[in-house]
Each structure stands twice: as structure tokens, then as C-alpha cells.
Amino acid sequence: MPDVPLDSLAPGQTAHVVALDPAHPLRRRLMELGFVCGAPVTVVRRAPLGDPVELRIGATLLALRADDLRLIRVRA
């Protein structure tokens, strides 16, 4: 299965992190939170207008903007 941006997953879907865009402004902080190669990430839910998106990575729940999710590549 090809790599896709994280924002393309629907609520309830799980995928594994493949890469973070090196130019991502939150790259270092996301890596500290567990967004490392191979880590499973689940889309929990989307806000009514689609932004932000609640994610679970490990034991951490966080919400990110759709623009930030486009810079995170995952493989389902």
C-alpha cells in the first residue's frame, strides 16, 4: 500500500507513521510526542467542520490541524 498523508484517513482508521516532512514547523515536537517511523496512529474523530482532527498515538491523545496532518506520511 502506498504512503498517504495522515489527513486522508477516516475516523477509526489506524496507520503507521512513515515520515514527517523535514520542513514541518512542529516536526521536533511531534517526534517527542511519538510520531516516529513505525508508530501506529489512529484517527479518533474530526471536528464538525473537519478541522482539527483528534489523534491517538501510543497513550497520547492530541488534536492537530488538517494542514499539519498533510505533512505527515503514513501507511495503512
Side-chain angles (χ1 to χ4, degrees):
M1 174 149 240
D3 300 345
V4 296
L6 184 51
D7 73 327
S8 67
L9 297 182
Q13 284 188 299
T14 300
H16 292 86
V17 175
V18 175
L20 292 173
D21 187 320
H24 196 301
L26 300 174
R27 186 173 194 269
R28 181 175 175 176
R29 181 66 180 134
L30 290 173
M31 291 177 73
E32 291 169 351
L33 288 169
F35 282 87
V36 294
C37 191
V41 59
T42 302
V43 176
V44 177
R45 62 183 164 191
R46 292 181 179 272
L49 296 176
D51 199 21
V53 178
E54 184 179 358
L55 306 167
R56 178 185 307 277
I57 187 152
T60 304
L61 280 174
L62 68 147
L64 291 175
R65 298 175 304 161
D67 289 343
D68 291 326
L69 298 180
R70 286 185 193 100
L71 301 174
I72 301 170
R73 305 294 292 181
V74 296
R75 184 173 295 146

